[in-house]
Amino acid sequence: MIFHVIKYTIISNLRDIKSIVSYIVFPIILIGILGSALSLVFEPGQLPEIKAGIVMNDQGGLAEILQDNLTEGELNDIIAVKEFDSLEDAKTAIKNDEIEFFYEIPEGIDDREPLEKVEVKLWTSNTSSIQSTVGEIVLDTNLNAFNTIDALANNESMLRSYEYRNYIVNETISSKENRPGAIGFYSVTMMVMALIYGSAIAAKEYELSMHGDIGNRLQVTSISTTALLLAKVLSSVILVFLQGIIVFLVSKFAFNANWGDNFSLVILTIFLGALMSVLFGIAICVIVGNPERIGGLLTVLIPVMTFISGGFTSTAIGGILAKITPNYQLQNTILAIVYDYGSDRVQGGLLSIMAIILVLLAITIIFGRRRRA
Amino acid sequence: MSEVILAVNDVTKSYGDNKALKGMSLELKSGEILGLLGPNGAGKSTLINCICGLLKPDSGNLKMFDLDLKDDRQLIEARAKMGVVPQEIALVEELSAYENCMYIGGLYGLKGGELKDSVEEALNFVDLWDRRKDRPGKYSGGMKRRLNIACGLVHKPTLLLMDEPTVGVDPQSRNYILESVRQLNDEGTTVIYSSHYMEEVEALCDHIVIMDLGETVAEGTFSSLIAEVNDTETINISLAKPIDDTKVLAEIDSIPGVTNVENNGTELSVISERGNNNFNEIIAKLGEFKQDFTSIDLARVSLEDVFLDKTGKKLRD
Ligand SMILES: Nc1ncnc2c1ncn2[C@@H]1O[C@H](COP(=O)(O)OP(=O)(O)O)[C@@H](O)[C@H]1O
Ligand SMILES: [Mg+2]
């Protein structure tokens, strides 16, 4: 009977054109739109020259090496950096729209105490502009490199940027090939969004089997509620998994997105993501209990979660909030697989996903029992 | 003596403070069509949902054959023999009529060829076999109702629970449905049929339970129920114009033997004890108040009168 329910659940969902459009076609279109519109962020070579500034509060030694790195080099091709004598001058230049942002190199980089932290500041009037985003990527990348050299020289890391923002791309840039381009990046995040949309499918199927006219009809047949729910969870997982695979294949073959070499690991992660997403939807249902609102709630919640986890902008916006969205772990794990960020991060990501799955399962069982009692 | 299929004993069910069932009891014998007649809100659906286990009663007992319907295990076993036609149309929009029947039939444990044959039989039974490939969205209200019935029939239940299966249906489909219920019953299916249409219950059911406000107000066969109120008659009068002076109503009411007077615009309905021959007196009173009338008739006693007699209310509105 479980197989029977799965069969008809899948058939009816595959015929639900409206859902297919919002769960599959929409993410695919977004890959195209975001991938080309925001390609500037990812492919600096195409960006028109960005006007930036630098204020040196320290001279000589590390400060100058840092200055050279920030103003020259491959990543910095597109930035024209002008040196300002004082902080005030640089601020005025921003106000007058002469520059987009400037770096401020602090005093005492060379003669700092061991373990003393020194901050390199990025000043900008508009933190969300593409230009200052590029400025931040460049800064973070350089600071990482410096900290690494520093660590090799047995010093503690000492430089950090004024405002640390969690760039998915900045932490791991090692060579140009290993960095996601816009299409590659959005293929991953939109595929993840498609998976997370699966929670809405699961919520709908939960409602259809537990409440409402059709739910009532299913409830009075010979199948037990547990078997019915299990069948609905499995059908949703299959549907959501297919959804993820479709976005994966379309982005790979139609958009030529990079999905790395390790397809089996990517597919396994897509499967875990589907499972996580379905359980997320069901868990919300058993917690909230009021089925009418859940579908609508999720359709709003999912794009918002995608947004704050950095799925649209490449920048996780919500800090800790981002980390608790189901998108975040999934997105970062897949990026780690595709762009070869090392097995530690891949394993860590997969373990986190499995942990989330277990927590959601526990929530579903505990609250589900309580609801039935 | 036919065996008792279903025994409902002192079942209560409340929604918060609203006591939807206040201790309902009934016994259903094999081969019967039991009519549950009552106005909207009487508790018919609540009772049916308690029987099929969709709702857990607050107290009381429900037994089908030897199975205790309050026990989850035994309930599932009983459901294999129980068909439910819910009041609300419950069809999956994305599935064709055929697939809807296959889906529900399979949930009763039917498989393979047996399932296909049963679905074909059920769809033929409601005359939808030719339209089996259409989705419910393309159906008229009456066809949806018939498909709704077919879904509850696929597994050939011994006991069929039908909750107002003719609501919102054109007269043709309605007759078809009534005829089908009769045919099913002839073939041996025991039926509980809920309705707020007394004509349906009168025409269809051997055993009638009249419900109001969660209670049985009367129970019996049609003739035994009529016999209970046969000492009254209803006189319906169509007036030429609405009543000017309501004193006439009070005067008619005070005629010995008159138990109830109702006036609605030009409609006047008087209930009187039979054999008092109040007919003439009523006409005389109307004449006295210069209240002309266009027609007058002595209504046949119906379940409506039984309901009115027992509850003091009309069945509809
Ligand atoms: N789900 C529900 N929640 C609260 N009250 C309900 C619910 N269902 C029915 N009722 C109330 O219970 C009473 C009986 O309703 P119901 O069994 O649907 O009557 P019927 O089927 O005879 O029209 C009514 O007063 C109705 O308002
Ligand atoms: Mg009802």
Side-chain angles (χ1 to χ4, degrees):
Chain A
M1 274 197 263
I2 291 184
F3 175 74
H4 185 80
V5 175
I6 293 177
K7 176 178 161 192
Y8 285 96
T9 305
I10 289 182
I11 294 179
S12 56
N13 273 283
L14 291 182
R15 290 187 190 154
D16 182 356
I17 304 295
K18 218 179 102 210
S19 302
I20 290 183
V21 168
S22 49
Y23 301 154
I24 302 181
V25 179
F26 178 59
I28 289 175
I29 291 173
L30 279 181
I31 295 175
I33 294 175
L34 292 173
S36 43
L38 295 184
S39 60
L40 299 179
V41 182
F42 296 86
E43 285 146 37
Q46 296 172 11
L47 203 65
E49 197 174 61
I50 297 172
K51 296 195 167 45
I54 190 164
V55 178
M56 304 293 292
N57 293 323
D58 199 356
Q59 299 294 330
L62 270 176
E64 266 171 26
I65 298 172
L66 191 56
Q67 180 182 18
D68 287 349
N69 275 290
L70 286 172
T71 52
E72 291 160 20
E74 197 188 1
L75 265 174
N76 316 332
D77 291 351
I78 37 114
I79 310 178
V81 184
K82 182 180 168 201
E83 190 174 340
F84 289 90
D85 292 334
S86 77
L87 193 56
E88 288 316 308
D89 290 351
K91 285 182 181 170
T92 313
I94 283 192
K95 275 190 203 130
N96 298 338
D97 279 339
E98 289 160 29
I99 56 173
E100 305 281 351
F101 63 87
F102 65 90
Y103 304 115
E104 185 190 356
I105 307 293
E107 269 181 279
I109 291 188
D110 274 322
D111 42 11
R112 71 193 141 72
E113 301 294 318
L115 300 182
E116 188 191 348
K117 302 224 170 184
V118 184
E119 282 175 348
V120 178
K121 293 182 184 175
L122 178 82
W123 292 80
T124 173
S125 58
N126 179 4
T127 46
S128 63
S129 76
I130 290 174
Q131 285 82 351
S132 47
T133 304
V134 172
E136 201 168 334
I137 294 174
V138 170
L139 178 60
D140 282 352
T141 314
N142 277 291
L143 295 186
N144 282 343
F146 266 82
N147 287 333
T148 312
I149 295 165
D150 229 29
L152 287 175
N154 285 331
N155 260 319
E156 281 297 315
S157 312
M158 56 130 191
L159 299 172
R160 49 193 190 104
S161 64
Y162 166 62
E163 187 189 28
Y164 176 76
R165 289 215 264 156
N166 185 14
Y167 272 87
I168 293 165
V169 285
N170 80 337
E171 291 176 27
T172 48
I173 296 172
S174 52
S175 72
K176 222 171 179 180
E177 295 76 55
N178 259 356
R179 220 185 117 198
I183 289 282
F185 179 78
Y186 287 116
S187 293
V188 172
T189 61
M190 291 301 107
M191 195 279 294
V192 166
M193 186 174 80
L195 288 181
I196 302 298
Y197 264 126
S199 52
I201 293 185
K204 182 191 84 180
E205 287 303 331
Y206 176 87
E207 186 193 335
L208 277 180
S209 44
M210 301 301 287
H211 305 270
D213 302 336
I214 294 170
N216 287 349
R217 166 149 252 161
L218 301 182
Q219 293 277 314
V220 300
T221 63
S222 305
I223 193 170
S224 73
T225 305
T226 314
L228 180 61
L229 269 189
L230 182 64
K232 290 296 187 176
V233 167
L234 292 177
S235 344
S236 309
V237 170
I238 294 170
L239 283 163
V240 176
F241 177 67
L242 281 177
Q243 221 164 267
I245 294 292
I246 289 173
V247 178
F248 163 68
L249 291 177
V250 170
S251 63
K252 174 148 185 60
F253 293 106
F255 293 123
N256 233 335
N258 178 15
W259 280 93
D261 311 314
N262 200 342
F263 289 157
S264 45
L265 200 53
V266 169
I267 289 170
L268 171 75
T269 314
I270 294 178
F271 178 77
L272 288 175
L275 185 57
M276 173 173 79
S277 161
V278 165
L279 288 172
F280 178 72
I282 304 260
I284 286 197
C285 287
V286 294
I287 293 172
V288 179
N290 176 353
E292 288 84 36
R293 302 220 191 96
I294 290 166
L297 184 76
L298 282 175
T299 16
V300 175
L301 208 58
I302 291 161
V304 171
M305 289 191 313
T306 307
F307 183 70
I308 61 176
S309 67
F312 292 120
T313 53
S314 88
T315 308
I317 289 168
I320 182 79
L321 209 59
K323 293 192 177 154
I324 61 167
T325 62
N327 302 51
Y328 186 86
Q329 288 299 341
L330 201 51
Q331 204 154 280
N332 286 338
T333 306
I334 296 176
L335 285 169
I337 296 169
V338 174
Y339 297 96
D340 215 2
Y341 294 172
S343 58
D344 280 2
R345 287 187 54 179
V346 173
Q347 272 169 21
L350 290 175
L351 285 176
S352 313
I353 294 171
M354 287 188 236
I356 295 174
I357 288 174
L358 290 179
V359 169
L360 291 172
L361 198 61
I363 290 176
T364 306
I365 291 170
I366 292 167
F367 279 82
R369 284 243 171 91
R370 207 178 287 172
R371 282 218 171 271
R372 292 196 65 195
Chain B
M1 264 309 286
S2 31
E3 69 178 319
V4 172
I5 280 201
L6 178 77
V8 175
N9 199 344
D10 203 19
V11 166
T12 66
K13 176 73 193 178
S14 301
Y15 301 101
D17 290 339
N18 181 358
K19 290 188 179 132
L21 292 179
K22 303 172 188 161
M24 278 292 300
S25 298
L26 55 84
E27 260 190 11
L28 180 64
K29 298 217 174 74
S30 173
E32 279 185 337
I33 303 183
L34 182 141
L36 277 182
L37 177 67
N40 282 330
K44 304 181 296 295
S45 297
T46 305
L47 178 60
I48 286 182
N49 290 339
C50 284
I51 295 172
C52 64
L54 201 54
L55 292 173
K56 289 259 169 277
D58 300 334
S59 68
N61 284 308
L62 291 145
K63 273 192 134 185
M64 182 178 172
F65 302 115
D66 290 335
L67 300 167
D68 179 0
L69 300 184
K70 288 176 83 178
D71 177 274
D72 281 347
R73 275 259 178 80
Q74 299 182 48
L75 175 66
I76 291 218
E77 203 181 315
R79 278 175 177 166
K81 302 195 182 96
M82 201 191 281
V84 183
V85 177
Q87 178 173 352
E88 311 301 334
I89 290 175
L91 301 168
V92 182
E93 283 302 324
E94 289 82 19
L95 297 179
S96 69
Y98 183 77
E99 290 163 334
N100 265 290
C101 287
M102 289 287 285
Y103 185 24
I104 302 299
L107 293 180
Y108 286 99
L110 299 182
K111 287 196 185 79
E114 190 192 3
L115 176 59
K116 283 185 188 152
D117 292 345
S118 307
V119 167
E120 181 170 351
E121 208 175 309
L123 283 172
N124 270 317
F125 185 74
V126 295
D127 203 16
L128 287 174
W129 179 247
D130 293 341
R131 299 284 306 271
R132 64 187 177 278
K133 290 189 178 140
D134 288 341
R135 296 193 197 169
K138 291 192 176 169
Y139 279 4
S140 70
M143 292 165 82
K144 282 185 193 166
R145 280 274 162 207
R146 274 146 56 197
L147 181 55
N148 203 37
I149 294 173
C151 288
L153 286 181
V154 177
H155 63 297
K156 303 197 173 68
T158 320
L159 169 63
L160 183 63
L161 309 173
M162 305 182 89
D163 195 359
E164 307 217 20
T166 57
V167 165
V169 154
D170 56 286
Q172 207 181 334
S173 279
R174 184 171 168 180
N175 286 337
Y176 192 92
I177 290 171
L178 292 178
E179 207 37 63
S180 314
V181 176
R182 216 170 272 132
Q183 193 187 331
L184 274 174
N185 183 245
D186 288 344
E187 289 164 7
T189 311
T190 308
V191 180
I192 294 187
Y193 187 100
S194 100
S195 177
H196 65 271
Y197 298 117
M198 56 163 187
E199 307 85 353
E200 290 185 354
V201 173
E202 275 181 30
L204 203 58
C205 307
D206 344 287
H207 178 177
I208 297 166
V209 171
I210 302 183
M211 288 183 74
D212 188 38
L213 302 174
E215 287 176 311
T216 303
V217 294
E219 180 173 2
T221 60
F222 178 58
S223 39
S224 76
L225 287 169
I226 295 298
E228 282 185 43
V229 287
N230 223 2
D231 51 347
T232 65
E233 59 193 8
T234 305
I235 301 157
N236 290 318
I237 302 156
S238 294
L239 300 167
K241 58 178 170 41
I243 292 192
D244 317 312
D245 187 352
T246 50
K247 230 162 83 195
V248 66
L249 297 178
E251 296 225 356
I252 292 176
D253 207 7
S254 66
I255 298 171
V258 169
T259 56
N260 193 316
V261 179
E262 277 203 33
N263 172 234
N264 191 355
T266 58
E267 298 296 321
L268 182 65
S269 150
V270 180
I271 297 180
S272 157
E273 282 169 21
R274 200 170 288 272
N276 271 23
N277 220 358
N278 284 331
F279 208 76
N280 292 333
E281 280 205 52
I282 293 165
I283 293 170
K285 281 286 174 220
L286 289 171
E288 224 174 275
F289 283 82
K290 308 238 171 333
Q291 201 71 59
D292 292 342
F293 55 85
T294 54
S295 79
I296 182 161
D297 81 308
L298 200 62
R300 191 178 70 88
V301 185
S302 70
L303 289 176
E304 177 83 55
D305 303 303
V306 179
F307 190 79
L308 187 62
D309 182 67
K310 300 283 180 187
T311 65
K313 295 185 299 190
K314 287 199 159 187
L315 192 51
R316 258 166 283 169
D317 305 321

